[in-house]
């Protein structure tokens, strides 16, 4: 209906900033490259190195898997809970929504730094609160047993963007449907499962994928500021591992190979999420 | 879902909302309260929301230890270029996508999600090589470049949804009046998707303003660095100087919050990203 020329800037950007770098990364994954001298072809040796020689890569992969499996559902369910609570137009709802959204726009480096302080074992507010209630006060980022939980906690409080997306979905559900269901005698629970959930599926799907990708790939700033992967590699997640391989150890080929594996895993997870939620009207008029 | 008449439900609602929203905001409260302590003072052994002898000394230190004002100005230049460009390019792409037939719409939705799959870490080195080729290193352009793709494919998606809710008849009647694509975009489309545009503006601002990887990778000259780099430098310099660190974090956070409060008055609040439009 509108001229396709409107897509030119986006198309150029997508090619130059995403597609082209992706191709370069795939090629580099098969080379030995230190960014000083020309890359040397080494076939699939990088991939073998990752699994056989490098002792750290399996740890980073395992941590990322755990983090993704825990943080993704927490963030999606958290955003859904917030959206369900705050989407009805009640007194004060606007104010509550603004308050709930606010943490989403704190610059990530500042947000991560604030969490380092909150999780400080001795002076941090969280342990002071726990202590006041006589609860155990873990060392959080100081101990390999709890450090990853600390990261999950920081991630689980970033719900603003997800909430906004889901409120938009909830508002798109026609009120007539609820009225008709009430007339037919459907209770709250039935209305939620039979009407709300199916009709906000497109938004829920986008949110699930977004949070999945964030947990797998978007944690660089969080780990870099909060833990640097420690203690004892307990919080080393893939983005930080890739960064360190490339920019600290100048093993760009190895970093690229790890990136390729990460993207493939993320793509597989995305496709799985899609299949699992088959029949969702993702492409429908929302 | 009409509210029950029993007042207990009302109280329960407010109690839950305040607890949930409040716990999310605590992080900001702790940030501000720590920044009001005197630099170098010993942290209190028990929780204190307002420190003894609150002072702004940590803020003075943040601005004197580093050229923070300069860095803030540099950041302002970058968002000043990048955010308006993001809104233009994202809404162009979104409008074209929203106007497509069922098949085109479907293909583009999948394409946008597919673009989201590639992580930033895949781009760092490859983009560096690319930017170096065209002489962009140590300029603002690598930092502004993501505006071309609307900062994030997700934002194009949000805008496309909003455009799609505008009834076809509105476009067609405007077209009969002789409006071309650009006029349709600026006179018909944009005013009707103001909430979505506001949401994208706030989120894109937060993304460009808080970006601390791009300046670290693509900038060289000290005087061109941006504000997040200042915080990163302070963290590396002294990880225990909490009042100064949190003061800098507050300064870094404030512009995002102010923009959000302004946009919320004029265009968008987190309760809606589109308006119902009747033909």
């Amino acid at each position: 209906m509108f001229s396709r020329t409107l897509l030119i800037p986006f198309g150029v950007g997508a090619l130059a900033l995403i597609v082209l770098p992706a191709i370069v990364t795939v090629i580099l994954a098969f080379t030995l490259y230190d960014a000083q001298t020309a890359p040397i072809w080494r076939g699939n040796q990088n991939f073998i190195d990752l699994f056989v020689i490098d002792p750290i890569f399996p740890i980073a992969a395992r941590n990322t898997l755990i983090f993704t499996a825990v943080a993704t559902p927490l963030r999606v369910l958290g955003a859904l809970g917030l959206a369900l609570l705050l989407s009805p137009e009640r007194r004060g709802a606007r104010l509550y929504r603004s308050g709930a959204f606010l943490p989403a726009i704190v610059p990530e480096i500042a947000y991560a730094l604030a969490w380092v302080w909150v999780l400080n074992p001795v002076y941090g507010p969280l342990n002071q609160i726990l202590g006041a209630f006589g609860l155990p006060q873990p060392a959080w980022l100081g101990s390999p047993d709890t450090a990853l939980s600390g990261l999950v906690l920081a991630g689980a409080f970033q719900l603003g963007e997800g909430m906004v997306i889901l409120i938009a979905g909830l508002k798109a559900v026609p009120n007539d449907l609820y009225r008709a269901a009430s007339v037919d005698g459907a209770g709250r629970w039935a209305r939620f499962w039979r009407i709300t959930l199916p009709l906000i599926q497109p938004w829920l799907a986008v949110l699930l994928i977004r949070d999945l990708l964030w947990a797998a790939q978007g944690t660089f700033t969080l780990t870099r500021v909060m833990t640097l992967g420690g203690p004892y590699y307990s919080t080393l997640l893939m983005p930080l591992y890739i960064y360190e391989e490339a920019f600290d150890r100048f093993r760009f080929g190895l970093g690229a190979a790890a990136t390729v594996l990460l993207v493939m895993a993320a793509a597989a997870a995305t496709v799985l999420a899609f299949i699992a939620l088959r029949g969702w009207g993702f492409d429908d008029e929302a | 879902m009409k509210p029950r008449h029993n007042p207990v439900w009302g109280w329960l609602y407010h109690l839950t909302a305040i607890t949930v929203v409040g716990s999310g905001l605590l992080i900001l409260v702790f940030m501000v309260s720590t920044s009001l302590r005197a630099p170098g003072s010993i942290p209190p052994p028990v929780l204190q929301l307002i420190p003894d002898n609150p002072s702004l000394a940590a803020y003075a230190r943040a601005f004197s230890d580093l050229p923070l004002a300069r860095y803030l100005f540099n950041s302002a230049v970058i968002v000043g270029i990048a955010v308006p460009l993001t809104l233009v390019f994202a809404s162009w792409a979104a409008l074209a996508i929203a106007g497509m037939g069922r098949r085109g719409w479907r293909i583009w939705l999948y394409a946008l999600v597919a673009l989201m799959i590639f992580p930033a870490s895949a781009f760092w080195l490859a983009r560096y090589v690319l930017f170096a080729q065209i002489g962009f290193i140590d300029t603002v352009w690598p930092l502004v470049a993501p505006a071309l793709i609307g900062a994030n494919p997700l934002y194009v998606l949000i805008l496309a949804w909003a455009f799609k809710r505008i009834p076809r008849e509105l476009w067609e009647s405007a077209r009969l009046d002789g409006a071309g694509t650009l006029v349709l975009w600026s006179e018909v489309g944009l005013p009707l998707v103001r909430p979505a545009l506001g949401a994208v503006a706030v989120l894109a601002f937060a993304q460009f303003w808080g970006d601390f990887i791009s300046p670290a990778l693509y900038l060289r000259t000290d005087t061109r660095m941006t504000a997040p780099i200042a915080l990163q430098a302070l963290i590396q310099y002294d990880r225990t100087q909490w009042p100064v660190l949190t003061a800098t974090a507050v300064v870094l956070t404030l512009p995002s919050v102010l923009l959000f409060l302004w946009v919320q008055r004029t265009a968008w609040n987190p309760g809606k990203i589109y308006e119902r439009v009747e033909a």
Side-chain angles (χ1 to χ4, degrees):
Chain A
M1 190 158 61
F2 304 100
S3 169
R4 300 283 158 94
T5 47
L6 290 176
L7 276 166
I8 288 176
F10 182 86
V12 170
L15 278 181
L17 297 173
I18 299 180
V19 177
L20 208 58
I23 294 172
V24 171
T25 303
V26 170
I27 295 171
L28 283 179
F30 295 93
T31 65
L32 187 69
Y33 184 48
D34 60 1
Q36 310 291 318
T37 50
I40 301 162
W41 190 261
R42 67 191 300 237
N44 58 4
Q45 192 58 44
N46 283 331
F47 294 94
I48 295 171
D49 283 3
L50 282 178
F51 285 103
V52 179
I53 298 179
D54 190 333
I56 308 173
F57 172 80
I59 300 175
R62 190 175 143 267
N63 288 342
T64 308
L65 224 55
I66 296 172
F67 182 82
T68 307
V70 178
T72 309
L74 272 182
R75 279 163 61 105
V76 173
L77 291 179
L80 182 61
L82 264 183
L84 287 172
L85 177 69
L86 299 181
S87 75
E89 295 301 332
R90 308 179 67 141
R91 247 164 61 119
R94 268 186 73 134
L95 188 68
Y96 293 141
R97 282 178 213 144
S98 300
F101 178 74
L102 214 50
I105 49 169
V106 177
E108 238 193 329
I109 184 172
Y111 182 81
L113 180 83
W115 270 98
V116 177
W117 171 246
V118 168
L119 295 174
N120 183 297
V122 182
Y123 301 112
L126 182 57
N127 270 3
Q128 288 182 339
I129 293 171
L130 290 176
F133 286 101
L135 294 166
Q137 298 163 288
W140 294 117
L141 305 180
S143 154
D145 298 328
T146 48
L148 200 59
S149 312
L151 286 186
V152 170
L153 214 52
F157 276 88
Q158 289 174 308
L159 302 174
E161 210 175 300
M163 177 196 75
V164 166
I165 291 173
L166 289 183
I167 288 182
L170 288 169
K171 297 264 170 187
V173 179
N175 272 325
D176 312 359
L177 282 182
Y178 288 122
R179 248 173 262 134
S182 288
V183 170
D184 290 346
R188 255 165 199 270
W189 203 235
R191 284 191 307 231
F192 174 73
W193 283 104
R194 299 289 171 81
I195 301 176
T196 310
L197 219 48
L199 283 174
I200 61 168
Q201 277 167 350
W203 282 270
L204 220 45
V206 164
L207 191 63
L208 177 68
I209 290 167
R210 169 187 166 277
D211 281 338
L212 194 72
L213 294 173
W214 175 83
Q217 309 171 331
T219 54
F220 174 73
T221 306
L222 223 51
T223 47
R224 171 104 170 146
V225 174
M226 288 179 70
T227 61
L228 285 170
Y232 305 112
Y233 302 113
S234 60
T235 59
L236 185 70
L237 301 180
M238 285 298 284
L240 184 67
Y241 169 81
I242 290 167
Y243 177 89
E244 287 181 345
E245 277 304 313
F247 294 97
D248 291 347
R249 298 191 271 275
F250 297 103
R251 298 199 287 230
F252 287 102
L254 215 59
T259 306
V260 169
L261 291 177
L262 178 61
V263 173
M264 278 165 43
T270 304
V271 171
L272 272 182
F274 242 92
I275 293 173
L277 311 170
R278 177 173 39 96
W280 286 32
F282 175 58
D283 52 337
D284 284 343
E285 170 99 16
Chain B
M1 289 193 252
K2 52 179 187 290
R4 308 274 175 97
H5 290 296
N6 189 341
V8 171
W9 286 105
W11 286 110
L12 204 60
Y13 164 73
H14 287 289
L15 194 69
T16 318
I18 289 171
T19 313
V20 171
V21 174
S23 61
L25 288 174
L26 273 179
I27 190 91
L28 295 175
V29 174
F30 293 139
M31 205 156 98
V32 174
S33 104
T34 307
S35 76
L36 296 175
R37 270 181 22 219
S41 64
I42 298 161
V46 289
L47 191 62
Q48 256 185 357
L49 281 191
I50 300 166
D52 304 328
N53 312 315
S55 83
L56 293 175
Y59 289 85
R61 273 280 298 277
F63 278 92
S64 64
D65 281 6
L66 276 170
L68 186 55
R70 170 87 221 177
Y71 290 177
L72 286 167
F73 174 77
N74 294 341
S75 282
V77 170
I78 283 158
V79 296
I81 302 171
V83 174
L85 284 180
T86 296
L87 294 180
V88 171
F89 294 148
S91 61
W92 280 2
L95 184 60
I97 293 169
M100 289 177 181
R102 217 183 144 72
R103 232 175 76 86
W105 166 253
R106 187 191 194 119
I107 291 171
W108 271 93
L109 284 185
Y110 285 121
L112 288 175
V113 171
L115 288 178
M116 282 160 60
I117 292 178
F118 296 99
S121 54
F123 308 142
W124 289 329
L125 175 72
R127 280 188 188 172
Y128 183 90
V129 174
L130 216 78
F131 288 136
Q133 289 294 319
I134 47 179
F136 274 8
I137 298 303
D138 210 20
T139 70
V140 299
W141 302 116
L143 279 62
V144 170
L148 279 173
I149 51 166
N152 184 333
L154 181 65
Y155 304 156
V156 177
L157 201 56
I158 288 176
L159 284 167
W161 266 331
F163 279 126
K164 219 169 153 58
R165 301 189 69 81
I166 300 176
R168 242 186 141 81
E169 301 84 65
L170 271 183
W171 302 112
E172 274 154 12
S173 68
R175 183 161 275 159
L176 285 180
D177 292 341
T181 298
L182 276 183
V183 174
L184 287 177
W185 167 71
S186 66
E187 303 292 320
V188 182
L190 287 190
L192 290 177
V193 298
R194 265 167 68 105
L197 217 51
V200 171
V202 170
L203 294 171
F205 180 94
Q207 181 177 323
F208 285 109
W209 181 264
D211 180 7
F212 100 109
I213 300 164
S214 306
L217 291 178
Y218 306 131
L219 294 181
R220 292 275 171 280
T221 314
D222 189 42
T223 53
R224 292 179 190 171
M225 287 300 172
T226 58
I229 297 294
L231 184 51
Q232 168 74 356
L234 282 174
I235 293 171
Q236 278 167 354
Y237 174 67
D238 185 355
R239 247 187 121 86
T240 60
Q241 188 48 277
W242 284 104
V244 179
L245 290 178
T246 47
T248 313
V250 171
V251 170
L252 195 57
T253 304
L254 208 54
S256 288
V257 174
L258 291 178
L259 178 79
F260 170 57
L261 293 179
W262 178 69
V263 166
Q264 141 148 309
R265 294 187 72 86
T266 54
W268 167 71
N269 69 74
K272 55 169 188 190
I273 52 178
Y274 52 74
E275 282 163 311
R276 283 185 193 279
V277 184
E278 308 298 337

